[in-house]
Structure formats: C-alpha cells, structure tokens
Amino acid sequence: MRTSIATVCLSGTLEEKLHACAEAGFDGVEIFELDLVVSPHSPERIRDLARHLGLTLDLYQPIRDLEGVDEALFAQNLRRAEAKFRLMNRLGIDLALICSNVATATVNDDAVVADQLRRLGDLAARYGVRLAYEALAWGKYVNDFEHSYRLVQAADHASVGVALDSFHILSRDWPVEPIERLDPEKIFFVQLADAPRMQLDVLSWSRHYRVFPGEGGFDLAGFMAHLLRTGYDGPVSLEIFNDTFRQADPFRTAIDGLRSLIWLQEQARERLASEQRGEGNVRLATLPAVDEPSGFNFAELKGTEPTRLRQMLDQLGFADSGRHRSKPAVELWSQGDARVIINAQRGAEGRLQVAGIGFDVVEPLASCSRALQLHATSVQRTQQLGEEVLQVVSAPDGTEISFARLDDQGRPPWMVEFEHTVPNDGLITGIDHINLAQPWQHFDEAVLFFESVLGLRAQPSLDITAPMGLVRSQVVSSEDRAVRLALNLAPLGRGDHHGRFHEQHIAFACTDVRALARQAVANGLKQLRIPDNYYDDLQSRFDLDEAFLGELRALNLLYDRDEHGDFLHFYTEAIDDVFLEVVERRSGYDGYGAPNAPVRLAAQYRV
Amino acid sequence: MRTSIATVCLSGTLEEKLHACAEAGFDGVEIFELDLVVSPHSPERIRDLARHLGLTLDLYQPIRDLEGVDEALFAQNLRRAEAKFRLMNRLGIDLALICSNVATATVNDDAVVADQLRRLGDLAARYGVRLAYEALAWGKYVNDFEHSYRLVQAADHASVGVALDSFHILSRDWPVEPIERLDPEKIFFVQLADAPRMQLDVLSWSRHYRVFPGEGGFDLAGFMAHLLRTGYDGPVSLEIFNDTFRQADPFRTAIDGLRSLIWLQEQARERLASEQRGEGNVRLATLPAVDEPSGFNFAELKGTEPTRLRQMLDQLGFADSGRHRSKPAVELWSQGDARVIINAQRGAEGRLQVAGIGFDVVEPLASCSRALQLHATSVQRTQQLGEEVLQVVSAPDGTEISFARLDDQGRPPWMVEFEHTVPNDGLITGIDHINLAQPWQHFDEAVLFFESVLGLRAQPSLDITAPMGLVRSQVVSSEDRAVRLALNLAPLGRGDHHGRFHEQHIAFACTDVRALARQAVANGLKQLRIPDNYYDDLQSRFDLDEAFLGELRALNLLYDRDEHGDFLHFYTEAIDDVFLEVVERRSGYDGYGAPNAPVRLAAQYRV
C-alpha cells in the first residue's frame, strides 16, 4: 500500500519536513498550503527536491469554502481556485483537496453544489488537476462522507471524486459500513488520523489532538478493512494536527507515523482474515507475527557508581550471580525469576538508569525482525565467540529492548555467561513491572511502539497529582499481565525542564512483602518514608484491622484494593533517577496502587 | 472581604503552599485533603505553621460521596466522615466541604438525602464541625446550587449549609439571580473560579482549565454582585485546578490569585454601583480608579551592544535626541510621538530586549499606587535632584511599567532631561503596539495584570502556526486602541526550552509605509525578507492591482484587510531577541495582520 503524509504533521521548514518524510521511508507527501506559502523556495524547487528525495507529491491541500455559494462569490472562488491550479502545475501535483464549505456557504441545495463541483471540475481539468472533495466534520451543510459522495455522483465529472478522512468520519460516529459501497474509482484520496476519545467541540479536537493511527481511541483497523473491501488501491496518507508533533523533532515524528501505517496494515489484514475476506487489490505490508512476551528476561541498570545498587539488591535478598565472563563491567544479580544486570561500563552521564529490558519470547529472531520492520533502531553489541547472540533494538526513549528464549529449565540462555548461574530462592519471584519516563514530545510514540512491536495493550491513561504537576501515566501490558510497563510523562515542572524526578523504577513481585520488608530493613535497606497522615487516611477509607494497619505503618508499606483483591507494596530510596519497588498482589489485584502514587511522588519530591 | 485560597491551586509541598499564601497576603486557606495526606507533618504541626504565618484554616476539603446512598453504605460513610471530623479537630478547622455524590449515589430521593445530611450534621456537631454542601456540576443527582440549597433547607440543621462555587454554577449556565434569594446564614462558604469558555465535558474542564477570576470567560463580577446582595460576609476563596499552576512557582501563583480577588472586589463594587445598590455588610477592597493610558510614553530597549539598533532607528528616520543628562548610558531616539530609549547600561545577559514601557496617564501617582495595590513589584530608580520622578513598577514578565503625564505640548516631562528635545517629524507618528513574550507558566497572570492595572481589554486569543509549534497570541488594548499590547506565549519547541525566538517587538504607526520602506531601504535598512510564494497566495486571496502587488513584493510589505480597511506592514531583521515593525492602518483596520504572522515566524525561524 502506498504511504503518504501531510507536511502539516511535522515541525520545521518545508525542506526539513520533506527530508524527514523521505528518511523515514514514506512514498509520498501532501503539501499543506501554508508550508509552501511561508517557504522562500519556488514551487519548482520544492517539486525538484521531492523528486530528488524519491517522494511523490500526492496532494495539494486545502482549498477551502469554494462551493455552496451564490454566483457572484462563486466567480471569485473559481478565480481563487484557478490560481491554485496554476500553482499545482508548477509543483507537479495533480490532485487538490477541496474541503466542504464551513465559512461562506449560503446555498443548502445539493443540485447547486453538484453543479458548482462540476464547474470546478471543468476548470481543474483544463489544468490536468483532479479534485478530492472532503466532508469536514464541521462543514456547514456538508459534513458526512455519504453526502459528499452523493454530491460527487451528481456532479458526475471525471475530475471530481471524494476524499475520505477517518477523523471526519469517526469523530462524528458516522456509520462506516457504507464505505464499502463506494466506487473505488471515485475515492480520489484517503487520509488517516486517530484521536483520543474526548467530549470536546469537533473543530478543537481535530486541530489540536489528532494522533497517528493506533495512538488514539478510534477503530482505524475497522475503517481500513471497510476501505480495502472497496478495492481502493491509492495511497493512504496521514493528516495529523497535533500541538506536540508541531514542536517535536520531525525526523522522529515521521518514523512514528510510518510505524503507525505499517502496523495499521497488519491490523487491517487481521480484521479481514478474521472475517474470511481477502485484501482486495492492494499489497499490504507484512510483518512477522507478534510473539507476545511471556515475561521479563532481565532488567539492566547502568551507571558508573553501582555500589549503592549492589547493596540494595543484597538487602532485598538478591544473590550476586557474578560477573560476565567476557565483560567485566557487567554483573548479574538474581532472585527467583528476577534478574538484574548491573552495567558499570556505560552510561553517558554516569547517573544510574534503566538501560535495557529483556523479554522472554519463543522466536527471538522474528521478534527482533518485527521490531526492525516497525522502524525500531538496531543496536550492535560486541559479542565473543560462543556467546549467545542477543537480539537487541532500541525503543523510542533509548531503552534497549532484547529478546531471548528461555531454556528447558526456564532460564535465559545468556545466564551461562555469568560466573554463577544458580539463582537465589527468596520471597521475590520475578519482575512485576517496569516504569519508564518518556520525553514529553514522544509519549504517544512510546505507547504505539510497545503496542505494535510487542503486542502489548494500552490501559486507560491516568493523571497523577505530584507536587510539581500532574504526571501522565499509561500502562501497557500483555494479555496475561506477565509483562507490564508503566510509561510516565513528567510535567515540565519548575526549574528542571527535562522533568527528571526519580522516574524510572523496577517493581519486583513478592509472595510476602511484609516478611521481605522486615528482612530487608533488618539488613539495612533504606525505604522511602511514608507519612503517618497516609495511614490515617487509609484507615478512614478501608477500615483495616488495627494490627495490620500498624504493621503497614511500621514497614512503610502502602495498600490498595480493587474488585479482585489487595495490593501491598513499598519503595526504596532513589539512587540517582532510579528506585526499586516490591509488590505483593493478592487474589488477582490488577492495578499499580494508583491512589498511592501521589504519596510516593510527594515523598520523593522532598528528598 | 476576607480572602482565602485552596492549597490545590498551588505547586509544591504543603509548607511551601502555606508560605506562598501568607507571603502574598491571603487571610486564610482551604486545606485540600491530598496535600495533607502526602505531608510528613502532623495535623497539629500544620495548624501551628498556619497560625505562625497568620493564616486561618478556613475549610477542609473535600469529603466525597457521602449522601444519597443506602443505609448500609451510609453507615460506612458516617464512619469515614467521623475520621475526617477527628482530623479536623487536630487541624483546628471547623468547616468541611461535602461534595454532592458523583460516584456511589443510588437514592434519588430528596427526603432521604435531606435526612442523611441532617444525620451528618448531628455527627459533625459533636466535633464542633459545620458542613458546607456543594452541588458539583457533574453530581449524579444533585448538580444545581438551588437543589443543594433546598436539600439544606430540608435538612434544617444548624451545622449544615451550602457551599457555592462559581465554576459549578457558571459552567452549567444555571441562572445566577436566585443566589440573591439565599439566606446568607446558610451560605457557609464561597469558592471562586473562572474558566475559558470551552465545549468540553464539564469534569475535564473543571479539573484542568480553571483560572483565577478575570482570566477566563465567566462573569465573576456579576456572580459576586449577586452574592453581596444576600448580605454574605464570609470569606471568598479561590479553588483553581489548573495544569499550569500546578507546575508554576507557588509564590507567583499566589500573588496572581490575590490580585484577581482584589480586582474582582472592585469590579463587583462597580457592578453594584451601576445598579445603584449598596455593598451589603462587607468591606470591599478599594483601589485608585483606573487611569486608562492614552498612549505610549516611550519604549525602552536595553542591551550592551546597541549599535545596530541605533543604525536601524536612524534608517527609519528617527532623530537622535541625545543622551540623558545624568545617565550617560541612556539615550533617546524620537520621531513624532514615537520615543525609543536605548539603555546600554543594564541588561543582565547583554542581549537586546524590551526593558520598559511608559504609559501616558493623567495621574501617574495614582496609577502607580493602583499597580502596587494590585501587587505589582515596586521598582527603585536612582534619581538626580530636580529630575522628574518616574512612577515605575514591574510587570510579571519583568518589563518595567512607568507612568507619566504629558505636558501642554504633548510631551512627557522627562524629555527635558535629554540633550535635544525637539522630535523629528517624519512618517512615523507613534508606537502602534508592543509585543511581549511571556513565560509559559505565567501567561494568564500577564493578561490579568494588564487588564487590572491599566484597564486594558483582552481580545480573543489566537493560535499562530510557526515552524516550531503553535504560538498563542493575545492582544490587550485600551478602549480607543491608543494602547495595544500583544502578549505571546511561545511553544516550548525543539531544543530551546525557554522558547525565545525574536519574540519581542515594537511596531511603529506610520502614515505612508510604502514611502517609509523605500526611504529606509535606501538608507540601508535590512528588512525581513518575505517569500514570493506569499505574494502569489495574497493575489489569489485579494485580487489586488498588479502594480500595487508588485510594490508590496519589492518592499517586503505584508498586507491584510478587515471589515474596516487595509493594513500594510513590514518587519526589520532581528537584533538578538528584538525586532521592529512599521504598520499603516487604513480606514480603521483594527487587527495586527494575523494571517501574516506565520510568514514572519517562518522567515525568522530560518535566520
């Protein structure tokens, strides 16, 4: 399927945008009018640049408020359109987007509108231009794609077809099945945009909150499946108005966009397959199947001064499994299936951070290949002869993601490279979840990355109150919850514009967190101190047994309850930007203690 | 009138918040529950801190979802409420906010709810606590203040009254006149919040977008007038949930909040006076009347290297009016009523910036006093004997605001302190407007500052497309448009998190901008280059005379038109963070060439 993207999706100058689209690997672009108007480069030079970059110029957009007007205004509008057709000739673009009139329409008469579309088509044809008529969700008289299609049919002109835009259709909850009945020859262009579900006026929603397919709440896969059933074989193009994308690195945004289109093709194919229907005329992008991870292989922490971390792991009952045989700066600590790799070798700024996450999969090579085809960055690792080849890619935030298959004893193959391979059997049984901070410009990208690469499912996002602002938190997890990642977006806050505030952590699963806390504290572990006021409030909310409450209080344990069961957890003090958590889930509790997160953030803010 | 503020309005720890409220000068605070729960300090210690700071603790809030439930749940809720009443005793707070049930209500029966409120009142009375029942705008059964008032009347308990919150009333467009009919003894508490008008679900609107009175779209003055007519004499308290305030310096936010309450009392008094009604029992804050500025006295630019600026002013036809007699680093350039002071002495970073603005007023001393009473910061200036005493304060962004009265010749009195006092008569007649960039955490504060201190009126805010994101732009202007300020909020953007991008400028009014541009270019002025594509688009939009269009193109002039007339303008190249503009307004054109702003921003982005 041909992929395209509107220049309005990206930050920067028109040339930067074209370079970003080409580098990501798009087939073509839509030129958004304002990007050209503000450019010092002639249309011919832009045309040549696109050709040089191997990009087709698929669409010029938008031409607004042309139809549904009286004859005097229509004459002016024809003149205005003609100037744009001339410009399109200079750009070498033969398709224009005509938006349904929102501002100047006074004639709500389909026969008049169809006649005006026909006359626009006559004019366009003289310039070799075709017109894709789009029903904007807030069009004055025309705001439904079926209506725009009827008008196009009535105009009955070879140069006039419709443009379908998923946002304008799905935001209004128009029925999507009728898409299948459209003549594919009359679908001149298709634009795709997702958006979070909001109760906001549709214009503001469209102008500020669109996101790439898979990053919002619309069923884009269903939309695509309906579209493919028509036999449509033209390009699908991203048109995203997003306040954050406008401020972000366009090269990254373009990759995020292309990833969404590749993933969407897979989703649409699966949708069609599930209904025993073919894919029509179009070759959809193929990907190795999702190999949903069944657990965490390891978590890797890097930093130049790991002494405190070693001590902390020791206090938590981890066994020092020794150094890596060929990489002396790398050591392994383990307890049950929880494996922590400490890497003292690297770490740009020296501060401790979560540098890598290993996932248990069945086919590591296929998982890695899937990630690379979804435009993850490949990571090269030096390897000694005979060592296990780890399949590694980089997530958008720079965390290294690797894939390995457990052996018959349930151990990852790379463990033999460490001095001692027998893990400690303690109260900690594995890694429950890992919490990663995301830069504010790339939060949606991160969510889609983990959804598309690992097949994780996004849970509803939460705003958590912290002393420096609201922290957006979104969990992505595997269906069986064996893998859970919490992605956090820190507020820009006061002073530190990078928003780093102990935002990464590793949470270990534990069978008896009270016993563990007692042992660890006896071993000298420094816990995050939880205020007395928290326990008073907890008691008012849950009416707990006084002895139990006293134990929680004494052990700095936090408590939560959902419809399944109870949750007990504690935090360690932070080391640089990282801290550890130990959790005990009882009877299938499925959350993360969200009501307790403000208590943690406030306590960490004071340190 | 007693002023109060909820701790949830502010960023930081509970102690930081209390210190900020006290330092701004509030009489009291509302303790927001979560602020206490996450605090390591005991209720007694918080009580003592407030006392030490001279703050009363006016309200504990919120206690949620108590009423409208079955008896089993109500028993639990009584127990939960009792724990909070005990806590309030420790805090020394005797008033609790009870929000109408949003989550657990199952009984939509006023008799049952009134009975439960009465029983809550009985329990509260045992602890010396009173309950202020608030109808949340999204309450399940109770979401209208008249309904909550009827329930309170039916409960008929001395310890049970209503809380009125302007957001919950005005967001739902409930009629406000009935407020006047409420028994003031039964209004236990009043919370004030403004908000921009949005078509967004009311919960999200309330939780993220509230602003201080005067910063949004609600008629808070009208609300206050109705309230005062009841005879209510309790505190008015700010309760603002705002994502930006949560990230901003709490000391600044608190001052912003108190300013809004002082201003609001004046607005309410004026509203009552206009209706020939008294102010009830309450002493409202008094302020010197607004002395609306009739023009710009001067603009002061400071920077350590003013050579290029001098050259540019010379090229634009300004006369060098010489140095200040006692301050050799200060010089004056003038043309018509446009006066530019160059100050080479100061400027922290050395970069050229707009450092001060002088306004023509009738009573400089009163204007300055008004500003200070509205918590502007006083600025001390060294003064020689016999020199004019300039009344100076600092605006929130640090720009120094001064006031002076023109003499009989229409000249500011301080001009005699410069070597030459005869201005050049040229094509430039004065300062048309000044554009100031605002830090993102304090944009709303800046708008209210200029509204309240100078009586300027806010125009609708615009989002302007720029290569690094959307720029929010809001004009505040005097009624006769003699004074216009454009306040800009830069996107955080790529790389430069301070968002500085040539964001300050001074626009001069001109009688013939084409003639001026020709002269200035002949004198060597470096204009901002406007792309050819802009003129092609202009022609398609306005169908201009070809010769006129050619002249615009040759002179890098931009063009716009509104319902009144035409607008022609050009920009200079930037010097550090400042550039100049020359504008010609024809036939009462009232805008700022907003459609051209993206062209300017894109051209500046490329430099």
Side-chain angles (χ1 to χ4, degrees), chain A residues 144-420:
Chain A
D144 166 359
F145 74 98
E146 293 196 79
H147 189 186
S148 61
Y149 186 75
R150 286 196 305 275
L151 290 165
V152 162
Q153 285 185 303
D156 189 26
H157 194 291
S159 301
V160 180
V162 290
L164 301 180
D165 178 313
S166 62
F167 181 89
H168 292 298
I169 295 169
L170 300 174
S171 66
R172 294 288 305 262
D173 290 319
W174 298 127
V176 285
E177 295 74 18
I179 291 172
E180 297 189 22
R181 296 193 290 273
L182 306 187
D183 174 2
E185 297 296 314
K186 278 293 174 190
I187 305 174
F188 280 11
F189 206 69
V190 174
Q191 293 174 321
L192 297 176
D194 201 345
R197 285 279 172 194
M198 299 176 82
Q199 292 176 52
L200 177 65
D201 68 279
V202 69
L203 176 60
S204 305
W205 190 17
S206 175
R207 287 280 168 82
H208 299 286
Y209 296 99
R210 290 183 177 211
V211 284
F212 290 129
E215 296 175 355
F218 292 156
D219 178 16
L220 267 295
F223 180 89
M224 277 289 284
H226 291 302
L227 178 70
L228 290 168
R229 285 182 201 131
T230 66
Y232 174 78
D233 63 356
V236 286
S237 184
L238 299 165
E239 192 204 26
I240 314 296
F241 303 91
N242 180 294
D243 289 2
T244 304
F245 293 1
R246 286 181 188 273
Q247 300 180 54
D249 175 352
F251 289 84
R252 277 188 71 161
T253 310
I255 288 171
D256 182 20
L258 192 62
R259 177 181 301 131
S260 81
L261 282 184
I262 295 167
W263 170 84
L264 183 59
Q265 291 176 58
E266 175 191 59
Q267 299 299 304
R269 170 189 290 112
E270 287 178 9
R271 192 68 67 94
L272 290 168
S274 74
E275 297 164 11
Q276 277 97 41
R277 301 186 60 165
E279 291 165 26
N281 317 333
V282 186
R283 249 188 77 177
L284 296 175
T286 53
L287 288 171
V290 167
D291 188 357
E292 198 171 324
S294 58
F296 290 103
N297 224 242
F298 67 86
E300 180 184 5
L301 291 156
K302 71 178 177 191
T304 45
E305 232 343 300
T307 314
R308 281 186 64 203
L309 178 62
R310 279 194 200 106
Q311 193 178 35
M312 210 176 251
L313 289 170
D314 180 55
Q315 289 158 343
L316 287 170
F318 278 75
D320 180 353
S321 302
R323 297 192 176 274
H324 191 273
R325 294 180 193 276
S326 69
K327 297 175 187 130
V330 176
E331 62 197 76
L332 173 67
W333 290 71
S334 58
Q335 182 172 186
D337 288 331
R339 296 168 208 103
V340 176
I341 290 174
I342 301 180
N343 187 337
Q345 188 177 26
R346 300 171 305 159
E349 299 157 30
R351 291 174 71 79
L352 194 69
Q353 58 178 293
V354 176
I357 302 176
F359 292 101
D360 306 335
V361 295
V362 179
E363 295 288 353
L365 210 62
S367 289
C368 190
S369 166
R370 178 180 173 87
L372 293 173
Q373 288 179 56
L374 284 162
H375 292 268
T377 312
S378 173
V379 176
Q380 301 304 325
R381 290 208 160 190
T382 53
Q383 211 75 29
Q384 299 283 323
L385 201 66
E387 284 180 5
E388 186 70 15
V389 178
L390 258 191
Q391 304 298 331
V392 187
V393 298
S394 173
D397 67 356
T399 306
E400 293 185 359
I401 301 298
S402 67
F403 303 97
R405 180 179 182 154
L406 300 183
D407 65 18
D408 296 344
Q409 277 90 55
R411 272 185 239 156
W414 49 259
M415 276 192 80
V416 297
E417 295 163 19
F418 288 87
E419 291 166 329
H420 317 294

Side-chain angles (χ1 to χ4, degrees), chain A residues 495-552:
Chain A
D496 181 0
H497 284 268
H498 302 288
R500 292 190 82 83
F501 58 106
H502 311 315
E503 69 274 56
Q504 296 182 313
H505 80 263
I506 300 170
F508 299 109
C510 174
T511 50
D512 184 344
V513 75
R514 287 178 293 172
L516 184 82
R518 271 190 299 269
Q519 283 172 21
V521 169
N523 293 338
L525 180 79
K526 294 217 165 100
Q527 290 181 297
L528 186 73
R529 285 288 309 272
I530 304 304
D532 269 345
N533 295 332
Y534 166 78
Y535 296 100
D536 293 345
D537 181 64
L538 199 63
Q539 182 64 332
S540 81
R541 291 191 286 133
F542 290 113
D543 200 14
L544 300 170
D545 173 79
E546 280 295 344
F548 180 68
L549 185 75
E551 204 175 1
L552 297 181

